[in-house]
Amino acid sequence: LFIPNISLAAEGTFFYDKKVSDWDVIGYTGDPSVNPACVIGTDRLDGSYFELIKDLEDGELYIRLQNNSWNIIDEPGEYEMRLNIHYPDGNINGNNFSYLLINKNTIVIPQIEAESFVPAFHDGSNLVMVMPGDIPNAEVSLNKSRYALELLAECIDKSKEVNLNSTKDEIKSKIAA
């Protein structure tokens, strides 16, 4: 489930790399520790980042957020939060999600239902993660996110033309041999 920051991955190759506004869209072939994925990401000046990740091996859609202004003191584990998408007309679409606390400033929101989330993300103007307790909320501008989603779809299509590392199957077959 959890993918390390693929920009730091040592092995594998990128088969897709495009930018639109503040969004980077990359396709990664995978390596022994990281599943192949297409990723929409945006960085902040303080080194924080938001990634919407489509795992190309198991099909999961999930979010990874590193917020460097956080200093969450809870133990790593699973917690609940609310994710609200704000629209230009003032409406808000929100839902409760479980998230995995990875460390003091990184969370992963797994198993996002693409059928409902992607259209909301596409049309939204702002994404707000309403965190529990005294953890500050995190906000991500969705400016030009619709174009980034189009590139994500292009990345997924392009992935069918490249040799993706089938990491789990390769490892299993090597162990079995």
Side-chain angles (χ1 to χ4, degrees):
L1 165 67
F2 174 67
I3 292 183
N5 184 357
I6 34 186
S7 62
L8 301 177
E11 299 179 35
T13 58
F14 295 95
F15 64 87
Y16 190 90
D17 187 0
K18 291 193 178 179
K19 185 170 183 68
V20 60
S21 187
D22 293 335
W23 297 96
D24 292 303
V25 183
I26 61 168
Y28 184 67
T29 60
D31 67 42
S33 65
V34 179
N35 283 354
C38 285
V39 180
I40 297 174
T42 186
D43 296 323
R44 294 190 180 149
L45 293 176
D46 71 352
S48 299
Y49 60 86
F50 169 90
E51 295 173 330
L52 178 64
I53 302 165
K54 175 68 173 179
D55 186 309
L56 297 172
E57 186 165 310
D58 64 24
E60 182 179 10
L61 181 69
Y62 62 98
I63 289 172
R64 176 184 161 108
L65 174 73
Q66 180 173 313
N67 185 337
N68 289 336
S69 67
W70 284 342
N71 188 19
I72 302 172
I73 59 172
D74 298 323
E75 291 293 318
E78 188 172 341
Y79 298 91
E80 296 291 319
M81 50 100 63
R82 182 159 184 86
L83 192 142
N84 291 330
I85 296 180
H86 295 250
Y87 297 95
D89 64 5
N91 285 327
I92 298 173
N93 180 355
N95 242 327
N96 294 327
F97 285 87
S98 292
Y99 71 90
L100 303 173
L101 178 63
I102 305 305
N103 60 42
K104 68 179 184 163
N105 56 15
T106 306
I107 65 169
V108 171
I109 304 171
Q111 302 173 351
I112 295 172
E113 185 181 305
E115 294 76 24
S116 59
F117 181 79
V118 170
F121 189 86
H122 179 276
D123 295 336
S125 57
N126 235 13
L127 182 141
V128 178
M129 295 174 206
V130 181
M131 302 301 290
D134 60 359
I135 302 169
N137 295 343
E139 195 168 319
V140 177
S141 170
L142 298 181
N143 183 36
K144 308 277 188 194
S145 63
R146 68 183 47 183
Y147 303 113
L149 283 171
E150 290 171 10
L151 293 178
L152 181 68
E154 190 177 282
C155 176
I156 293 167
D157 287 343
K158 180 76 174 167
S159 74
K160 297 170 186 163
E161 302 169 13
V162 298
N163 184 23
L164 300 177
N165 291 333
S166 217
T167 57
K168 292 176 188 168
D169 292 337
E170 282 179 16
I171 292 168
K172 285 179 190 174
S173 67
K174 287 178 184 176
I175 292 172

